[in-house]
């Protein structure tokens, strides 16, 4: 048989040969090593080692400190000790006075692997509310006392809220100021938009440009003449007629116009009558009559025209004072705003339509002003919205001045009095508990927390003078962040207890939680499991070999016991479920108890079985401890022999 340590394979038999005179009396326990027969032994070894480590984790044996040696120094020391003891006294006689080792046993049982976690806790209400004063304002009414039962919405106390009215009024004044400022900004924006529109000068009517007064690049001020636009499609002639014709002249009557300079006659129509009083040199009182006629293209402003009116009778009425031809419509176009001329859309004497762009001015400065005013408008609106939110928040605070119960329950404390003012805002006023459900906090060891789940039922007991009261609680909260205390890690959990008001706050109760596999079956002590060349076995005490017993090499199985292969299932820190191989009530070997030297106590009674070849434990060297080889001895003898068992 071989073992491996640090990648180096050793012949176990060679080690046994060196140590046989010394260790022969303790060579009956199965080594927890891989066998030469195949991987089955290795799997059993790994499974059993895991079970034993789990058992060790729950209650690790106390060990005295010792020095650690390297593999070679440890092996050498073991060899020297074995030879010296064997040569002098024969090892066995020196330490055990010739007495044989005593096998210790336990019986297989039938049951479950569940564990009960228990402890105590102090009850606190699952739901509670502590009300505090809103300000230092006077308490105007208190409507409950400690011990009262209230329903949701019941009034508890009131506080003077006039300070809220003052605050809201102040906010309203600020809003008014901001709204006035907003109106100013909006007027500025409207004015700027009108000025921007005026940067583009367009023809107000269809006509002809007669005088462009600016060039591109010129800087003009507001009111500067840019061009003249005339409507010369028709001409107007204003003449003065004697009041003797007053009753015969009307708008729409026919007229004739003669332009002597062009030797042209043109028909027209009376379009306007002004009852003015113009007196001629001869003393004739006259009124003005305007005749409009189409322009054949040759008429220009300032030409003299002689005209007459055609009365309904056919009589021609001649004026007392002749006039000059004028354009039907003429307008000087001026800049409404100042700026640089960036474009001209028409030349002198060019015919344009209504709305045509005639002059364009630069508006960059106006755009900057518009952006600035728009920003101020946005900021002002935001300030108004913030003030309105403050008013809403202040209104919501009124509920803090007329406090009502948020839940049904019992008044635990009242700390305000009517007519008095609190020392400060936030002072505790009323404490309200809902006693229908209580909670306690339990601290669960890190080894047990995996067995706790949300919704798990918990047995709760309240001790009484005559009898105990029992409740059923539920795990409602689990903290997955451990808390360490004195080197022990635990996880707090919250247990909720529906008590219907029967439990009070601050009461000590005990809890009990069942965790683990509650299904039942045959159980064996983990210490009784042995990893052998035939797999995992129990050494069963019997008068005759059981039918399923297997043969192992001599010295492995104690006298009176038989190796029985078993199939194992789940386990806890002490027991493992046996799925097949043995039944309930079978006596099984766990470990050896070694006899003491003459007149002394037993030398080694470790709480777990040794895995040193032969099943025994290392003897006590002169009353001292075997040096700790730091894992340097064969099979990992740092604090234990091959297989991980403790050293005596």
């Amino acid at each position: 048989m071989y073992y491996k340590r640090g990648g180096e394979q050793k012949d176990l038999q060679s080690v046994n040969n060196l140590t046989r005179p010394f260790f022969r009396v303790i060579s009956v326990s199965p080594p927890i090593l891989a066998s030469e027969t195949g991987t089955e032994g290795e799997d059993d070894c790994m499974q059993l080692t895991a079970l034993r480590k789990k058992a060790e984790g729950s209650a690790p044996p106390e060990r005295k400190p010792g020095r650690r040696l390297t593999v070679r120094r440890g092996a050498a020391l073991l060899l020297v000790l074995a030879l010296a003891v064997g040569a002098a006294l024969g090892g066995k006689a020196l330490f055990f006075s010739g007495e044989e080792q005593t096998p210790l046993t336990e019986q297989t049982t039938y049951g479950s692997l569940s564990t009960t976690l228990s402890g105590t806790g102090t009850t606190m209400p699952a739901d509670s509310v502590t009300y505090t004063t809103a300000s230092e304002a006077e308490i105007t009414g208190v409507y409950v006392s400690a011990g009262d039962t209230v329903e949701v919405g019941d009034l508890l106390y009131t506080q003077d809220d006039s300070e809220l009215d003052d605050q809201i009024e102040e906010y309203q004044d600020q809003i008014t100021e901001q709204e006035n400022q907003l109106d100013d900004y909006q007027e500025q924006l409207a004015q700027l938009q009108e000025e921007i529109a005026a940067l583009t000068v367009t023809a107000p009517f269809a006509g002809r440009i007669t005088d462009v007064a600016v060039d591109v690049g010129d800087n003009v001020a507001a009111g500067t003449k840019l061009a003249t636009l005339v409507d010369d499609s028709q001409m107007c002639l204003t003449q003065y007629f004697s009041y003797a014709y007053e009753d015969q002249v009307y708008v729409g009557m026919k007229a004739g116009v003669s332009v002597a300079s062009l030797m042209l006659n043109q028909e027209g129509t009376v379009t306007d009558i002004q009852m003015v009083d113009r007196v001629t040199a001869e003393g004739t009182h006259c009124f003005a009559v305007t005749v409009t006629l189409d322009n054949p293209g040759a008429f220009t402003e300032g030409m003299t025209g002689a005209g007459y009116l055609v009365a309904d009778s056919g009589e021609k009425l001649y004026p007392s004072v002749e006039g000059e031809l004028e354009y039907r419509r003429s307008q000087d176009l001026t800049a409404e705003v100042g700026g640089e001329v960036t474009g001209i859309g028409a030349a002198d004497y060019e015919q344009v339509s209504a709305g045509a762009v005639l002059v364009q001015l630069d508006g960059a400065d106006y755009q900057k002003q518009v952006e600035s005013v728009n920003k101020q408008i946005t900021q002002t609106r935001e300030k108004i919205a913030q003030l309105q939110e403050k008013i809403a928040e202040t209104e919501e605070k009124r509920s803090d001045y007329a406090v009502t119960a948020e839940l049904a329950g019992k008044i635990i404390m009242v700390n305000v009095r009517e007519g008095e003012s609190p020392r400060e805002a936030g002072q505790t006023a009323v404490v309200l508990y809902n006693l229908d459900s209580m909670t306690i906090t339990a601290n669960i060891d890190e080894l047990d927390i995996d067995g706790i789940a949300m919704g798990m039922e918990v047995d709760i007991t309240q001790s009484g003078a005559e009898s105990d009261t029992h409740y059923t609680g539920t795990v409602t909260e689990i903290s997955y962040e451990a808390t360490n205390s004195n080197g022990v890690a635990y996880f707090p959990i919250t247990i909720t207890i529906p008590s219907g008001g029967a439990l009070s706050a601050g009461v000590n109760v005990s809890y009990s939680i069942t965790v683990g596999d509650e299904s039942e079956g045959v159980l064996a002590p983990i210490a009784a499991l042995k990893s052998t060349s035939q797999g995992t076995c129990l050494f069963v005490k019997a008068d005759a070999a059981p039918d399923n017993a297997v043969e192992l090499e001599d010295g492995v199985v104690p006298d009176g016991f038989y190796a029985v292969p078993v199939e194992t299932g789940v386990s806890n820190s002490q027991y493992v479920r046996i799925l097949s191989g043995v039944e309930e009530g079978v006596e099984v070997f766990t470990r050896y108890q070694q006899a003491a030297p003459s007149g002394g106590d037993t030398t080694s009674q470790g709480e777990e079985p040794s895995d040193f070849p032969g099943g025994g434990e290392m003897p006590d060297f002169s009353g001292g401890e075997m040096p700790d080889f730091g894992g340097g001895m064969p099979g990992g003898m740092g604090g234990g022999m091959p297989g991980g068992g403790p050293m005596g």
Side-chain angles (χ1 to χ4, degrees), residues 432-598:
L432 172 61
Y433 284 177
N434 181 344
L435 301 181
D436 289 343
S437 294
M438 308 300 289
T439 63
I440 61 172
T441 299
N443 293 324
I444 305 300
D445 189 277
E446 61 181 325
L447 300 177
D448 302 315
I449 191 63
D450 289 341
I452 303 298
M454 294 289 289
M456 181 178 287
E457 290 190 352
V458 182
D459 293 329
I460 304 295
T461 302
Q462 180 187 11
S463 300
E466 298 181 356
S467 63
D468 295 343
T469 305
H470 297 274
Y471 304 92
T472 299
T474 304
V475 176
T476 55
E477 186 176 341
I478 301 174
S479 172
Y480 293 100
E481 181 177 358
T483 300
N484 281 274
S485 177
N486 298 323
V488 177
Y490 61 86
F491 294 82
I493 67 171
T494 299
I495 302 169
T496 299
I497 311 165
S499 62
L503 272 176
S504 299
V507 174
N508 289 326
V509 297
S510 59
Y511 64 86
S512 176
I513 310 175
T514 301
V515 298
D517 189 351
E518 296 188 44
S519 59
E520 297 186 340
V522 177
L523 305 178
I526 288 180
L529 294 178
K530 309 298 177 184
S531 180
T532 72
S533 60
Q534 298 295 321
T536 300
C537 293
L538 291 176
F539 295 169
V540 176
K541 186 174 184 180
D543 295 334
D547 293 340
N548 58 342
V550 295
E551 292 291 335
L552 300 179
E553 62 180 281
D554 293 340
V556 173
V557 183
D559 293 339
F561 292 82
Y562 297 91
V564 175
V566 293
E567 180 183 0
T568 60
V570 296
S571 66
N572 61 17
S573 60
Q574 296 178 313
Y575 293 93
V576 62
R577 179 171 297 155
I578 303 300
L579 303 179
S580 64
V582 299
E583 300 295 331
E584 173 188 3
V586 175
E587 187 174 359
V588 294
F589 170 76
T590 57
R591 63 186 176 87
Y592 283 109
Q593 175 178 294
Q594 298 173 352
S598 300

Side-chain angles (χ1 to χ4, degrees), residues 25 92-93 95-102 593-600 602:
V25 297
K92 177 177 179 181
F95 292 98
F96 304 113
S97 302
E99 297 182 13
E100 294 296 331
Q101 300 174 101
T102 301
Q593 175 178 294
Q594 298 173 352
S598 300
T602 55

Side-chain angles (χ1 to χ4, degrees), residues 305-364:
Y308 56 88
L309 304 178
V310 181
D312 291 342
S313 62
E315 179 185 4
K316 293 183 179 180
L317 307 178
Y318 291 94
S320 299
V321 180
E322 295 180 349
E324 294 180 350
L325 292 174
E326 296 177 351
Y327 295 122
R328 178 175 177 270
R329 189 161 31 168
S330 177
Q331 181 178 336
D332 287 336
L333 305 178
T334 59
E336 296 181 19
V337 295
E340 181 183 351
V341 177
T342 58
I344 296 177
D348 286 343
Y349 308 111
E350 182 178 347
Q351 190 74 32
V352 296
S353 60
V357 176
L358 304 180
V359 178
Q360 181 67 54
L361 302 179
D362 179 27

Side-chain angles (χ1 to χ4, degrees), residues 30 62 253 266 331 619:
E62 181 180 355
M253 70 185 302
Q266 189 79 10
Q331 181 178 336

